[in-house]
Structure formats: C-alpha cells, structure tokens
C-alpha cells in the first residue's frame, strides 16, 4: 500500500505552481504578430497554415495549425530553441507537460526536442497521441528521465495528417520523485548482478527460444544439429515454465532445426522452414531448406500445419509488420542455393501468399538477415547475418516493400566480419536507433571483432557511425583478449530499465568461448564492463532472453565437436537487488488499442513504463525485439494513465510484457497486455 507521503509525491509535481513555459498562453506577440518564444517547424509535402484564434481556452489567444494534402512529413508548433525560451532542465529529472487542445485529426502528437551540451539541438521523443475532440480537452504527460548532457528542452504539438489542431495554456513542471530506500546488501552483485546455473538439465537441444504470452518459453531443437537424430526422424521441442521449473515435451512434426519464427498478433507462433536435408557425404548438396510451415498454439501446446511457402528457407528472417502480416527473406532453398524469394504470411487470410501476390526484388539477403521494422513501415537490413560474408555493396540497406526498392545504407564497419553479430533496436523504439554488436566470419575464421555500429533511422539519409568497442573478456584457458579481439554469437537483451545486457559469445566459429558481459546505456552510448559472466560457455546455438520477472535466461552451446551444453543459466540484473519491486496491482483493460490511454494501478510511485516484445531468438537473431516507451500521467489514488503509441509500426500488434519502473530503476514483474 502507498504511504501518505508516497501518494503525495506520486500525485503532484515536486515544484507545484512553477510553470517553466515562457508565454504559455500565446498572449505576448513579436513584431510579426507571432507568439513570442514559439516557432514553426516541419517538413514534407503538406500545406500548412499557422494562425492565432480568439477561440481560446484561457485569455484571448490560442494557436491553430491547419494541415492539408500531407502524405509525408509533419508540421510543428514548438518552443523556440534558445536559452530565453526553451525551458531549462536537470538530467535524470522528469517533467509533467500539459496543454489544452481541440483537434479535427487524430494524427497529432506531443513532441519533444532536447539540447545536448555537446551535440546541440536534436529530436528527443514523441510523448503522447492526442485523440480528435471538438471541445477543449486537457492532457498531461510525463517525460522520460532527461538524458545526460541535456540542459534545455523544446516541446509542442506535431500534426502529421490532414486537419486542424488548436492548442492553448501550456504548462511544464518538475515532478521528480526523491529516491528513497533501495539499499543493496549483496556485495559485488549490487553492481554486476549474479548468475545461477539451474539444478536440472534442459531436455532438448534448444536452438530456438520463444517467450509465450502465458510467460512460458517454447524451446525448439528439431533434430538439434544431430544428423543421427535427423536420419531417425527424431525431432524435439519443449515448453519450459519458469514459475514451476517444469519442462513439458511437445510432439514435434518435422525438423524445425534452423527455422524462422515470430509471434503472430493473436499470440500464436508462426514457424517457417527448417531442415530438409543435411549435407551429402559426396558433396552433391549442402543443407536444404523445407517449404513447410507450422503454427504453435501456446494454450493447446500443439503444432498445426499451414500452407507451404513458395520456396525453401533454411535460416530465414521473420519480421512482423505493422498490419500483423509476416515477411520472410533469405535462407537456403531445397536445392541448397540461396533463396531470393520474398514471402508474405497474410494475417487476415492466415496463409502464405503466392509469390505472384508478393512484391519481389529477387534479392538475396543471406542467412538469418536482421530485417527490422521501421516506424514508416519500411524494413532495415542491419547487416547482421549468419555464415560468411555480408551482402554485396555496403552490407546494409533499407527495403521498401510498397515501392519494391532497396536503398543501400553506408557506414557499416567491416561488413564481411559481421557473421553472428547481433542487431538490436535500442530503447525506446520511438528513437529509431539500431546497434550492431561484434561478429566474425566462419569461412575465413578470423578473430571475432569488437566493433559496434550505431544508426539513427530517423535521419534524412541514415548512415552508420562507429559505436563504442565491446568490452573484452577471458578465454577458457584464462587468457585475456587483446587488441581487436571481440566476440561472435553475441546475445543482447533489452531490459526494463532501458539498458541492453550483452552476454555470451566466442572468438571463433564453434570454439574459443569468451566469458564477458556488459551493460550498454543508450542514453550515454557507453558500455559498463565487468558485469557477472555466465559460468556456462554460450557460443554457437545459444540464446539469451528476458523473462517476465525481469531476469535473463540463457540456454545452449554447440561446439564444433557436435556436443551440446544442456545447462540452463539465469541472470539476476543488479536492479533486482536494490529494493522491493513495484507491483502492478491492476490493469483496467488488458486489451489495448493504438493511440489509447490505459489506466494501471501500482502499489508505489513509478517513474516510467514500457512495453517489451517477448523474445523469439535464434543464432544471435531477434529482429522483432523492441522496447516501446509509454509516457505516463500520474493520478491520485495510486493509478497512472499510460499513453499508447498510435503507430503500429513502432509496436506491431500482439502480446507485450508491460513493465513499470520506480525511481531506483527497479522494475515490476511484467503483466501481459494485448495490443491490437
């Protein structure tokens, strides 16, 4: 239960009555007749008209933005980006932003920019979608914690569709909740976290791990990279329940080894391709890909076959689009050659469409190409892949399915040594930043590298920039990595405190495991090295993923001698050692719609909330992994309203883990919500 003090801190700003906005009601005008400390901004092909109106909420003036004919771009009314007008802020503090508005279009958002003391003004985040309303409505939304090196912010309203938005009476107040309690007594684990190797073995060779919307985990082996099991037709998978520690063996109809998989909008799992054949002893063919596809039902715990794909895809990508459809690229066909066929699974029809119904560029993206959905509906091929060299050209590209075009993206370092690298859309998804970590080349067998690359997909012409080097680890023989030595088979897991946990990997193909783990902070673009390391080697055919209780689970390791490590490890991040977890005591409605406000009750003050998509990971690849920020409004009585993005490309439909986080950075246990 809340204490009275906690309720007061959560319910009202720390500096109640102090409005940080200059000229909040547009009453003061400059020599041109435009409100002082406000400016016009925007881009694209729309026509925009800014005007003052006497239909004000308070005082005599409000501002109107009317946009027509827009198909790309947006128009903004923002606080002027200078020291006189843009409110000063304190890093790590949060602020409540309020305004009155009425609108004829639902295509409006509250947008914030920040001034970095080194890099200057830059986009920060979209905070809340404003529903259409004929009468004035008031909204208040809380910002995320202000990033380091930020001294001012500018914010206002963005219109990105046809219609008219009228706004008035802006407010901004510091609402930082003092940090109390949270003392950690766990020694070194307070900063590094800790690992536990579970006292039982995994019953299947888990090459594939999919977190289900009931909190359980589907672990798939198929033949488990075992030619004898393949010849015998012995295929396996299991469902693991972290709450009970129980494994349930699942009848597995075909060899799903090296398949692709993704959760569908209804929570079932679509699984495509797998192994039709292992390489022939006489060299007449290599691995061959199946055309078959199945759906796994988490409730019935059964596989059901759907129609076949048009091509075999051994090692395919699988990306859910904003409309719930799934696109698949790459992999090996039934004749061992690379597949250039794009495949589309229609969510409406629940089947794979004929290739003639799918836009085709007949391009080969490699094996397990990381195809990440962008906020505008295009796909970003990050350059992460499996087996050998990257694709021709720059190694990364943007694929526009509707226009059927591929645009090269420059800047990826050492594109031909990003085999078994991992790509991740950094928190929050609204920022549209992707990071590639590590990688090697199993054909040339060079030492895996330390390089990372960062890209801002919101930029007009996105290009990779070098990121910080991966921290170095220790080999099995006790030797320390030196020089440019890094890791392939990297695992990266999005955590509910907004950081990325990097773990596992090896220096070479299926050998020389590297014991190292670090924490990457997207707000500072820095790694914190020296996190606790998994005592079990995790290289080829390993996977690490977030559990609903905030811990990280790791399975698998398949060295070159054909053995497989059946131990299961679980990592407790430091945030779980710094006081009690806040609890989500109720979710008013677990069925969420885009652009809505959702009421959630918590048992103690929180400072942020987010949706994290459950993992579907294999071979250092989970292109659907994402963290979607939920700007919040704090109510009295221990409840908050969470503002859901209106853009399904930021959060494709389906089940998500809802986490809330307190001022100590401690997350709750997740509650499942269904976004449709």
């Amino acid at each position: 239960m809340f204490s009275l003090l906690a309720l007061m801190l959560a319910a009202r700003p720390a500096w109640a009555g102090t409005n940080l906005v200059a000229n909040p009601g547009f009453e003061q005008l400059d020599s041109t007749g435009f409100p002082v400390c406000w400016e016009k901004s925007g881009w694209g092909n729309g026509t925009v008209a800014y005007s003052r109106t006497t239909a004000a909420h308070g005082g005599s003036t409000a501002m109107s933005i009317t946009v027509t004919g827009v198909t790309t771009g947006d128009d903004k009314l923002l606080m002027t980006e200078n020291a006189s007008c843009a409110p000063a802020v304190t890093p790590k503090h949060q602020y409540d932003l309020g305004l009155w508005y009425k609108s004829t279009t639902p295509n409006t958002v509250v947008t914030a920019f920040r001034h970095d003391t080194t890099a200057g003004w830059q986009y920060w985040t979209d905070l809340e979608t404003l529903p259409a309303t004929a009468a004035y409505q008031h909204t208040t939304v809380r910002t995320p914690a202000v990033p380091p090196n930020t001294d001012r912010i500018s914010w206002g309203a963005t219109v990105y569709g046809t219609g008219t938005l009228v706004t008035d009476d802006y407010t901004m107040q510091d609402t930082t909740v003092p940090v109390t309690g949270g003392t950690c007594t766990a020694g070194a684990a307070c900063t590094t976290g800790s690992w536990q190797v579970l006292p039982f073995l995994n019953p299947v060779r888990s090459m594939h791990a999919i977190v289900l919307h009931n909190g359980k985990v589907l672990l798939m082996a198929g033949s488990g990279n075992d030619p004898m099991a393949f010849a015998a037709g012995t295929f396996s998978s299991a469902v693991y329940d972290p709450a009970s520690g129980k494994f349930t063996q699942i009848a597995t109809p075909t060899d799903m080894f090296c398949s692709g998989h993704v959760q569908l909008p209804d929570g079932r799992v679509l699984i495509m391709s797998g192994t039709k054949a292992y390489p022939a002893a006489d060299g007449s063919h290599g691995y061959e890909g199946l055309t078959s596809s199945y759906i796994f039902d988490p409730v019935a715990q059964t596989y059901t076959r759907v129609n076949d794909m048009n091509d075999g895809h051994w090692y395919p990508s699988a990306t859910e689009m904003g409309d719930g459809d799934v696109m698949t690229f790459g992999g090996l066909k039934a004749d061992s050659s690379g597949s250039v066929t794009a495949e589309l699974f229609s969510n409406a029809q629940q089947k794979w469409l004929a290739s003639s119904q799918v836009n085709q560029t007949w391009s080969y993206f490699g094996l397990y190409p990381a195809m990440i959905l962008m906020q505008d509906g295009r796909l970003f091929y990050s350059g992460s892949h499996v087996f050998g060299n990257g694709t021709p050209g720059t190694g990364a590209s943007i694929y526009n399915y509707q226009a059927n075009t591929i645009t090269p993206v420059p800047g990826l370092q050492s594109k031909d040594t990003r085999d078994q690298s991992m790509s991740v859309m950094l928190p929050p998804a609204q920022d549209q930043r992707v990071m590639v970590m590590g990688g090697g080349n199993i054909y040339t067998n060079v030492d895996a590298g330390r390089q990372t690359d960062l890209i801002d997909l919101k930029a007009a012409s996105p290009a990779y920039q070098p990121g910080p080097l991966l921290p170095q680890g220790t080999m099995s023989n006790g030797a320390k990595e030196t020089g440019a030595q890094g890791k392939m088979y990297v695992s990266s897991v999005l955590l509910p405190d907004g950081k990325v946990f990097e773990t596992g990997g090896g220096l070479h193909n299926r050998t020389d495991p590297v014991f190292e783990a670090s924490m990457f902070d997207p707000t500072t673009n820095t790694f914190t090295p020296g996190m606790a390391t998994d005592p079990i080697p995790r290289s080829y055919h390993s996977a690490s993923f977030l559990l609903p209780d905030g811990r990280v689970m790791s399975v698998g390791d398949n060295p070159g001698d054909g053995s497989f490590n059946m131990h299961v490890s679980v990592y407790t991040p430091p945030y779980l050692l710094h006081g009690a977890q806040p609890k989500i005591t109720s979710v008013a409605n677990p069925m969420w719609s885009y652009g809505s406000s959702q009421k959630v009750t918590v048992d103690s003050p929180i400072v942020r909330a987010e949706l994290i998509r459950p993992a579907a990971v294999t071979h250092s690849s989970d292109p659907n992994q994402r963290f979607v920020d939920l700007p919040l409004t704090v109510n009295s009585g221990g409840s908050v309203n969470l503002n859901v993005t209106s853009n399904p490309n930021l959060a494709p439909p389906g089940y998500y883990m809802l986490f809330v986080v307190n001022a100590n950075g401690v997350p709750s246990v997740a509650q499942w919500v269904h976004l449709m």
Side-chain angles (χ1 to χ4, degrees), residues 2 10 34 58 75 167 204 230 243 254 290 343 345 363 405 421 463 522 551 566 595 602 609 612 638:
F2 275 122
F34 201 79
D75 294 283
T167 62
V204 301
F230 178 83
T254 192
L290 292 168
E343 307 266 10
F345 183 85
S363 299
T405 58
S421 62
R551 298 179 301 162
M566 310 301 283
V602 294
I612 298 183

Side-chain angles (χ1 to χ4, degrees), residues 171 185 210 252 320 326 403 432 454 465 480 483 496 535 598 660 676:
T171 59
T185 59
I210 302 100
T252 308
E320 187 193 2
V326 172
Q432 293 288 282
L454 292 164
Q465 301 295 326
K480 302 287 187 179
Q598 299 293 334
V660 298
M676 291 293 289

Side-chain angles (χ1 to χ4, degrees), residues 52 123 130 132 148 156 168 213 324 346 353 361 380 399 421 433 435-436 491 506 517 530 548 562 569 577 612:
R52 288 184 292 118
Y123 168 82
L130 302 178
D168 198 7
H213 68 81
S346 167
L353 300 184
T361 61
F380 174 53
Y399 174 77
S421 62
R433 297 173 68 230
M435 185 177 201
V436 176
S491 288
S569 303
L577 304 173
I612 298 183

